[in-house]
Amino acid sequence: MRTSLLIVLSLLLLGCGGAEVEQNTPPPVQDNSNNYTGLAPQTDDVQQFKLNLWDNLVADNRCGSCHQQGNTAPFFVRRDDINLAYAAVLPLVNLADPAQSALVRKVAGGHNCWLSSNTACADTISQWLRNWGANANAEQAAVTLVAPVIREPGASKALPDSPGLFAAEVYPLLRQYCVNCHTPDATVAQAPFFASTDVNAAYQVSRNLINLDRPELSRLVARLGGEFHNCWSDCATDAATMLLAIKAISDAVPLTELDPQLVPSKGLRLDDGVVASSGGRYESHQIAFYQFKEGQGNQAFDTSGVEPAANLTIQGDFNWLTGWGLQINSGRAQASTQSSAKLAQLVGATGELTVEAWVIPANVVQQGPAAIVSYAGSAISRNFTLGQSQYNYDFLLRSNSSNFAGVPALSTADADEVLQASLQHVVLTQDPVNGQRLFVNGEDTGVRAPAAAISNWDSSFALMLGNEADGSRQWQGSVRLLAIHNRALTTEQISQNFSIGVGQKFYLPFAIGHLIDLPQTYIVFEVAQFDNYSYLFSQPYLINLEGSALPSDLTIAGMALAMNGRELSGGQAWIRQSSSFSSGTSLVEAQPISNLGTIIAAESGAASDEFFLSFGQIGQFSNVRSQPVYAEQQINVVNSSSSDIGIRPFAAINASMSQLTQVSPTNPAVASTYQTITRQLPALSNIETFISAQQMAITQLGIAYCNAAINDPVLRSQWFPELNFNASPAEALSAANRNTLISPLLARFAPLQPATAINDADARAELNNLIDRLSQCNGTCDSQRTQTIAKAACTAVLASAQMLVY
């Protein structure tokens, strides 16, 4: 009877889109031959080697089938003597910098990886080595700079802004042969969508795959010729065809000529730099870890090194971020229930938990809460969920103080608006003594939940990102890193992980020795791909790789970033700064130039964009930059009279909204919003100065006022006496009840200027369309959604020209 009941419940979950939606391939089952029966470890370090590396590599589907005694040397997983295996592995590992270990590099190059991603295998082995090194107290290696390839700046080509050449040469091949997968409407859609029916969209995602300086290195060519990816005839022939198409574009694009007035450093591309070490994070109790390095395919790998790996399978509309990360537009990334079970087991063993994520919410209007990270079976049954409700982070945790849904939730304060649509480091901790705490960007938000014990966790749930298992809590945004720990991180450990940052980073050493007559001298920047469209440059410093000192005084002034043969028109954080160094200054250690950073737009992509520095003054060289000269334009004044209508400036807009809504301008959320966007609001009453950015600021202020008004039960009942805010939109805002929202809004906000007011029927039609769009949620909208729709309708009227124009 019990078995039959479980089967019925499982079928019900499947029918409702529960956690059993999909199952990944189960982890390998180790046979008894992997149990070590040889000589005992002679030292503690040998024992740590066995526990952290040997035990994980000895399986036959990893290294155990070859690197055994009497088989293929080196014998680092031999089963007869762990001490001899230890001696064999030492030349292959670097505990100070695990990623540089010969063992890791070998697997990263494709040698016997047991996963579909060589990078994931290499990262997993690196984690096992870090675990070994942490127990062996190995000192972390410092990044070692090496002299880069010397490039003369300007001798490069850049793809034009227009897709014309691409449309004529490469796009026809992509549309003919790649359309079955690389389009968003394909049956099994595979990003990037370079065969999209929209040629402009296809061109944008193809730019990073085309190398005009060396067409043979283009990813579109390499995927066919070297990786044999879905060739349509013979791979060598198909690669040659694609190469000819890219060469045709390259031949039509001229080399960028360098301005002779510039004082340039030598040039670099991103991959000419030194990869910054990703070490330094606190990871001692990490049980699931995702860096989203994959860049392609539909899997994100758990490289925590804790078996079984809870690898995520991604479904729906998503994009990979080039600087490591996953952008979720719809759908979710989900682990199997079998591999996710380790979370329930290991967290249950300690009673402590930390959920750590680097995220970029797509907007600040998502709610539900929208599920960023969830270990759950549905929206009403979970172990934990990190979610978003507009400007708030929410943490729902099943404990002895909550129900099965994790309610009551721990949420950041509405007035603080902690959540922003920008890159944020979010950490949630739970332990039986301190309860739940929430940190954002290394700072304690101050919100607390009483001490409670984690209990009754369901090990049949699945870990997922971007939604709940039943599909009812879609979240949109990007996840750059996710780590789950079975200990509550301390404030110091959280600050440490925040300071390390996220994503792939490089040190780019720009050669300036030829400008100051001191060979091997460089200005070094820390550089990261901020997202798919931009680079982050920060913290430049001066250094000499031979340890030489400055032979004379040195002034560096007017330093500017340049790319693809020209100085950039924006993002010049250092162009007004000047740094001086005295004669004899030692350059053995880095000499800081500035703590500033800047973001610049990508042009041809990380594989092709070439950077260099340009100086107003360095050593004996100088360049006096002139202001740009624009051709005179003949302006014909047709009518010199000013407009009969004007717009309210910032103070009048704030006062008008306060008067109309009866919400005080000192309301904390309103005051904070107003202070933030004041400079973006109109400063003049001249309507000819009005721009779209000002309307966005007016809308933000309108949202703040409407949010405050409708959250106030007294004002809400005064405004909408007949609207049932405890009902779902399907009932409260049905066709029969719709006017209980629309009529009070128009009566309150619209009749300011009857002579010029919008036609009543037109206004009602617009609001009806808005309510219809916001009410479409497949029958899952609750009463909270009714309030959200009311706020949106309120903002649409309050922030309109009715209030602004006079």
Side-chain angles (χ1 to χ4, degrees), residues 167-333:
E169 304 294 345
V170 172
Y171 187 59
L173 294 174
L174 301 177
R175 284 294 297 166
Q176 183 175 358
Y177 299 115
C178 306
V179 71
N180 289 335
C181 296
H182 292 283
T183 57
D185 54 355
T187 303
V188 182
Q190 295 288 326
F193 300 134
F194 48 67
S196 170
T197 54
D198 183 345
V199 66
N200 291 292
Y203 181 50
Q204 291 306 314
V205 299
S206 298
R207 293 173 72 99
N208 290 342
L209 309 176
I210 296 173
N211 187 327
L212 295 186
D213 293 312
R214 299 184 64 184
E216 68 278 7
L217 297 183
S218 299
R219 284 295 297 159
L220 290 175
V221 176
R223 287 288 277 166
L224 294 168
E227 300 175 19
F228 316 112
H229 176 73
N230 288 347
C231 305
W232 54 89
S233 59
D234 171 75
C235 284
T237 303
D238 297 345
T241 302
M242 184 65 72
L243 178 60
L244 286 175
I246 294 175
K247 280 185 174 178
I249 299 177
S250 179
D251 292 343
V253 175
L255 279 171
T256 302
E257 297 295 334
L258 197 65
D259 183 349
Q261 299 299 316
L262 295 180
V263 180
S265 70
K266 299 301 182 183
L268 291 171
R269 291 195 176 134
L270 201 59
D271 57 7
D272 293 329
V274 176
V275 177
S277 171
S278 59
R281 284 178 43 82
Y282 183 83
E283 301 175 332
S284 293
H285 301 98
Q286 208 164 252
I287 57 175
F289 186 50
Y290 308 87
Q291 291 182 281
F292 305 101
K293 293 183 178 182
E294 290 75 13
Q296 60 184 356
N298 68 337
Q299 274 198 303
F301 293 96
D302 171 11
T303 58
S304 64
V306 177
E307 298 286 324
N311 300 327
L312 302 171
T313 298
I314 313 165
Q315 54 182 289
D317 182 6
F318 67 92
N319 297 300
W320 292 102
L321 302 182
T322 53
W324 303 349
L326 177 68
Q327 179 183 0
I328 300 173
N329 303 313
S330 66
R332 63 177 179 263

Side-chain angles (χ1 to χ4, degrees), residues 333-513:
Q334 179 176 321
S336 70
T337 55
Q338 183 177 3
S339 60
S340 299
K342 70 174 180 179
L343 304 180
Q345 177 186 356
L346 297 174
V347 170
T350 63
E352 298 185 21
L353 170 70
T354 296
V355 181
E356 176 190 8
W358 284 90
V359 298
I360 310 173
N363 55 62
V364 292
V365 298
Q366 303 178 80
Q367 55 184 8
I372 303 172
V373 183
S374 192
Y375 182 23
S378 70
I380 59 172
S381 184
R382 59 171 54 85
N383 291 332
F384 74 77
T385 295
L386 165 61
Q388 173 184 352
S389 296
Q390 297 184 341
Y391 287 98
N392 296 337
Y393 285 110
D394 303 303
F395 187 38
L396 297 96
L397 176 73
R398 179 184 290 195
S399 71
N400 63 355
S401 299
S402 72
N403 62 18
F404 284 169
V407 176
L410 176 70
S411 301
T412 54
D414 291 344
D416 292 345
E417 295 187 349
V418 168
L419 185 149
Q420 296 291 325
S422 59
L423 180 63
Q424 293 187 309
H425 182 235
V426 186
V427 181
L428 298 147
T429 67
Q430 150 68 25
D431 69 76
V433 176
N434 299 304
Q436 300 168 34
R437 298 186 297 167
L438 196 156
F439 297 76
V440 176
N441 292 340
E443 299 292 330
D444 189 343
T445 63
V447 297
R448 295 285 188 275
I454 292 176
S455 63
N456 299 321
W457 270 27
D458 192 328
S459 61
S460 69
F461 291 165
L463 177 69
M464 61 195 72
L465 280 66
N467 211 329
E468 295 287 13
D470 57 11
S472 64
R473 295 290 187 267
Q474 183 66 59
W475 178 77
Q476 294 178 318
S478 300
V479 185
R480 300 288 304 276
L481 179 147
L482 171 64
I484 299 174
H485 313 251
N486 69 336
R487 291 288 186 185
L489 297 188
T490 66
T491 301
E492 294 74 19
Q493 291 161 352
I494 292 169
S495 296
Q496 175 183 339
N497 286 1
F498 173 63
S499 66
I500 295 298
V502 68
Q504 188 177 27
K505 301 174 188 175
F506 298 85
Y507 291 106
L508 288 192
F510 293 95
I512 61 166

Side-chain angles (χ1 to χ4, degrees), residues 481-786:
L481 179 147
L482 171 64
I484 299 174
H485 313 251
N486 69 336
R487 291 288 186 185
L489 297 188
T490 66
T491 301
E492 294 74 19
Q493 291 161 352
I494 292 169
S495 296
Q496 175 183 339
N497 286 1
F498 173 63
S499 66
I500 295 298
V502 68
Q504 188 177 27
K505 301 174 188 175
F506 298 85
Y507 291 106
L508 288 192
F510 293 95
I512 61 166
H514 61 293
L515 299 176
I516 64 172
D517 197 25
L518 185 63
Q520 297 297 309
T521 303
Y522 300 86
I523 292 179
V524 183
F525 281 80
E526 183 179 294
V527 183
Q529 289 180 266
F530 187 73
D531 54 27
N532 284 356
Y533 313 102
S534 59
Y535 306 102
L536 171 63
F537 280 70
S538 62
Q539 300 177 338
Y541 62 85
L542 183 68
I543 198 168
N544 184 278
L545 297 187
E546 295 179 342
S548 301
L550 287 174
S552 58
D553 292 347
L554 174 64
T555 297
I556 300 174
M559 183 171 67
L561 282 175
M563 181 165 62
N564 298 329
R566 66 188 186 282
E567 282 189 354
L568 298 172
S569 57
Q572 300 293 5
W574 307 278
I575 201 165
R576 297 186 181 278
Q577 291 192 325
S578 178
S579 300
S580 297
F581 303 91
S582 302
S583 174
T585 298
S586 173
L587 301 182
V588 174
E589 301 291 338
Q591 297 294 326
I593 294 177
S594 174
N595 289 323
L596 296 180
T598 191
I599 293 175
I600 62 173
E603 293 183 354
S604 300
S608 301
D609 282 335
E610 181 185 84
F611 313 99
F612 64 97
L613 304 178
S614 149
F615 301 93
Q617 179 185 350
I618 184 168
Q620 302 301 314
F621 297 91
S622 62
N623 171 30
V624 179
R625 297 184 177 95
S626 58
Q627 296 296 318
V629 177
Y630 301 100
E632 285 190 18
Q633 294 181 330
Q634 184 68 36
I635 300 176
N636 297 316
V637 179
V638 178
N639 185 355
S640 60
S641 61
S642 60
S643 173
D644 291 334
I645 59 175
I647 56 175
R648 288 182 170 82
F650 59 93
I653 291 171
N654 192 34
S656 297
M657 287 188 175
S658 175
Q659 185 69 25
L660 288 168
T661 62
Q662 298 176 292
V663 173
S664 170
T666 61
N667 175 282
V670 169
S672 175
T673 301
Y674 181 64
Q675 183 178 11
T676 301
I677 53 91
T678 298
R679 294 187 179 182
Q680 194 178 334
L681 290 168
L684 304 173
S685 59
N686 185 349
I687 197 169
E688 295 174 1
T689 66
F690 187 73
I691 59 176
S692 59
Q694 293 172 341
Q695 181 58 54
M696 293 303 299
I698 294 168
T699 301
Q700 285 182 275
L701 189 59
I703 291 172
Y705 271 104
C706 287
N707 189 61
I710 293 176
N711 282 344
D712 185 327
V714 175
L715 286 179
R716 188 170 67 232
S717 61
Q718 290 175 357
W719 286 22
F720 310 105
E722 299 179 22
L723 179 56
N724 182 5
F725 280 97
N726 294 318
S728 69
E731 178 185 344
L733 298 174
S734 64
N737 296 327
R738 188 72 58 90
N739 282 332
T740 61
L741 172 64
I742 294 176
S743 294
L745 282 177
L746 294 180
R748 176 170 291 276
F749 295 149
L752 300 179
Q753 304 157 78
T756 58
I758 186 173
N759 180 275
D760 184 75
D762 291 341
R764 290 177 182 275
E766 287 289 338
L767 289 173
N768 270 303
N769 288 335
L770 174 64
I771 295 168
D772 286 340
R773 290 197 300 272
L774 295 179
S775 299
Q776 294 175 5
C777 41
N778 300 321
T780 61
C781 291
D782 55 18
S783 60
Q784 184 64 38
R785 185 73 165 187
T786 302

Side-chain angles (χ1 to χ4, degrees), residues 63-78 84-85 88-89 91-92 103 106 111:
C63 304
S65 62
C66 294
H67 294 284
Q68 294 288 335
Q69 66 276 17
N71 199 337
T72 304
F75 308 133
F76 55 86
V77 288
R78 61 189 302 159
L84 294 179
V89 85
L92 308 178
L103 184 65
K106 184 76 171 179
H111 178 76

